[in-house]
Amino acid sequence: MKDISYHILDIVRNSLNAGARMVEIHILEYSQTGQLVLKIKDNGSGMKEEMINKVTDPFFTTSVKKKVGLGLPLLKQNAELTGGRFSIESAVQKGTLVEAVFNLHHIDMIPIGDLALTFRTLIASSPDTDFLYRYRVDDCGFDLDTAEIRMRLEGVSLNTREVLDYVTDAIHANLKALKGWK
Amino acid sequence: MDKIRNLADLRELKDKLQSKTKLRDKSETPEQMVQIKVAMATCCIASGSRETMNYIVDELDKRNIDAVVTQTGCMGYCYAEPTVEVILPGKEPMVFGYVDSRKADEIIEKYIKGGMLVEGIIPVNYKKID
Ligand SMILES: Nc1ncnc2c1ncn2[C@@H]1O[C@H](COP(=O)(O)OP(=O)(O)OP(=O)(O)O)[C@@H](O)[C@H]1O
Ligand code: FES
Ligand SMILES: [Mg+2]
């Protein structure tokens, strides 16, 4: 994967495949340690313990159409290449938390990429799922919660172009403000 | 400092869209709508399916075509990624390979709007399994 935004789309797709109705995506940057922590948490079907150990093996997948599962191993590899860490916590019928830690200043650090486009893609194809998108740089940041947006829209579907444009603009504006302050 | 941009201005958007939706609702039921599925597994994403999907969603809206666009897992034609399945109302599913924005444009104009076949169809007797 070329950048973090593609990884997010890919890992959240696992959550959706596991029947999640709610997915939280946290990107937390810490300037002191130079680390970026990516957390993706869902309330999907979860995994048994023996499965958690297998999923970072690229030859393991429960997909019926292909023989390798690459999503989690690739994220693990990209995090570890920067001297970072990767972990999964999961409980059957409860959900899953995937966490990857990157060292931002490492030479092998991948770019963040187009987060707004990833988010737009997720909302466009899963307008009824609740996505919470949280971005923090130290103690500054913003949340974007599609449950809240849906409530305010009172019945208008989220996958209309005007709403998608609104969300995209909001993310761009917030990211710009956030980076501008720093 | 939690929300830099708050959601207050969503209200205006809501009013605008509610009247637009009302106009639309009468015209079509889901079965009459075009269904499009974009494969979005790991390798599909790496080969550009995110961009393809967004291009399709935006262009359908610009060209006033009512369609349901969703994501799906690997369709089994990884050699031809990005792959897209199109179901026109009352027709068999059709799978297209190597769908970049140029190809997507052709599919929308010729196949979806015009009902004409275009190159790039993956010849399969594709059966849904999920
Ligand atoms: N959030 C999750 N909840 C439940 N099961 C999961 C979750 N994430 C991954 N899994 C399980 O782990 C397996 C491996 O995931 P991984 O993303 O590495 O590969 P894949 O999704 O099968 O294929 P690919 O990502 O290459 O398209 C999945 O097939 C699924 O069974
Ligand atoms: S993984 Fe993309 S079509 Fe198979
Ligand atoms: Mg996956």
Side-chain angles (χ1 to χ4, degrees):
Chain A
M1 289 286 156
K2 282 199 293 263
D3 64 43
I4 303 272
S5 75
Y6 286 108
H7 275 300
I8 292 174
L9 178 58
D10 186 35
I11 301 304
V12 174
R13 289 253 346 135
N14 287 343
S15 301
L16 298 173
N17 287 341
R21 305 298 308 146
M22 191 275 300
V23 186
E24 290 188 15
I25 302 150
H26 298 194
I27 302 173
L28 315 168
E29 286 186 34
Y30 300 96
S31 49
Q32 284 265 312
T33 56
Q35 288 191 320
L36 180 147
V37 179
L38 170 66
K39 292 186 192 182
I40 294 171
K41 188 178 156 206
D42 69 55
N43 66 350
S45 58
M47 289 177 263
K48 288 200 190 116
E49 206 169 321
E50 67 247 41
M51 180 126 138
I52 300 174
N53 298 326
K54 280 187 209 152
V55 288
T56 50
D57 169 358
F59 296 103
F60 181 80
T61 177
T62 54
S63 167
V64 275
K65 285 278 174 83
K66 54 182 191 154
K67 295 192 177 52
V68 290
L70 289 175
L72 293 167
L74 285 176
L75 177 60
K76 180 174 192 274
Q77 184 186 40
N78 272 336
E80 287 175 352
L81 279 173
T82 70
R85 284 177 279 129
F86 173 89
S87 64
I88 303 175
E89 277 170 47
S90 190
V92 175
Q93 300 309 325
K94 289 224 171 68
T96 301
L97 170 69
V98 173
E99 189 171 328
V101 181
F102 295 85
N103 282 307
L104 283 164
H105 306 303
H106 193 283
I107 184 153
D108 290 323
M109 178 64 198
I110 52 174
I112 307 268
D114 193 342
L115 296 171
L117 190 60
T118 279
F119 216 57
R120 185 186 180 107
T121 311
L122 289 168
I123 299 174
S125 54
S126 306
D128 300 323
T129 306
D130 291 343
F131 294 109
L132 173 77
Y133 169 49
R134 168 167 296 169
Y135 203 107
R136 293 276 187 278
V137 178
D138 300 324
D139 45 10
C140 291
F142 63 92
D143 281 359
L144 205 128
D145 182 355
T146 62
E148 189 185 345
I149 296 176
R150 192 175 306 106
M151 200 186 70
R152 284 174 186 259
L153 284 175
E154 294 175 28
V156 174
S157 173
L158 295 193
N159 65 355
T160 46
R161 202 155 84 97
E162 289 84 350
V163 177
L164 296 173
D165 285 347
Y166 176 90
V167 172
T168 306
D169 290 348
I171 293 176
H172 282 149
N174 283 337
L175 282 174
K176 205 172 149 203
L178 191 56
K179 299 289 172 179
W181 283 348
K182 286 285 154 183
Chain B
M1 184 54 66
D2 236 356
K3 286 182 188 102
I4 301 174
R5 175 171 170 170
N6 65 43
L7 301 173
D9 43 344
L10 267 178
R11 193 185 181 86
E12 211 178 302
L13 189 62
K14 185 205 79 185
D15 295 339
K16 194 175 122 201
L17 290 175
Q18 272 177 339
S19 39
K20 188 176 156 186
T21 322
K22 277 196 198 101
L23 288 176
R24 248 190 185 175
D25 274 352
K26 295 192 197 91
S27 57
E28 274 166 57
T29 60
E31 305 81 69
Q32 293 173 299
M33 276 163 84
V34 179
Q35 290 177 57
I36 299 172
K37 291 177 194 164
V38 182
M40 200 73 81
T42 305
C43 346
C44 315
I45 294 172
S47 70
S49 60
R50 181 182 76 175
E51 284 66 21
T52 297
M53 157 126 191
N54 280 285
Y55 180 84
I56 293 174
V57 169
D58 290 353
E59 289 304 312
L60 289 170
D61 182 87
K62 283 185 200 154
R63 300 177 201 187
N64 274 316
I65 302 168
D66 253 341
V68 191
V69 187
T70 50
Q71 300 172 18
T72 170
C74 169
M75 299 196 216
Y77 315 112
C78 309
Y79 60 90
E81 287 167 343
T83 53
V84 173
E85 180 187 284
V86 181
I87 309 178
L88 297 183
K91 296 259 174 63
E92 285 293 303
M94 202 66 91
V95 179
F96 299 90
Y98 305 108
V99 187
D100 55 9
S101 52
R102 196 190 51 78
K103 191 85 222 169
D105 172 65
E106 199 185 342
I107 294 169
I108 295 171
E109 277 307 308
K110 292 198 182 145
Y111 184 63
I112 297 178
K113 281 174 79 174
M116 290 179 291
L117 291 185
V118 297
E119 258 177 68
I121 293 170
I122 300 183
V124 283
N125 29 14
Y126 176 64
K127 291 271 178 290
K128 265 221 289 270
I129 44 168
D130 52 324

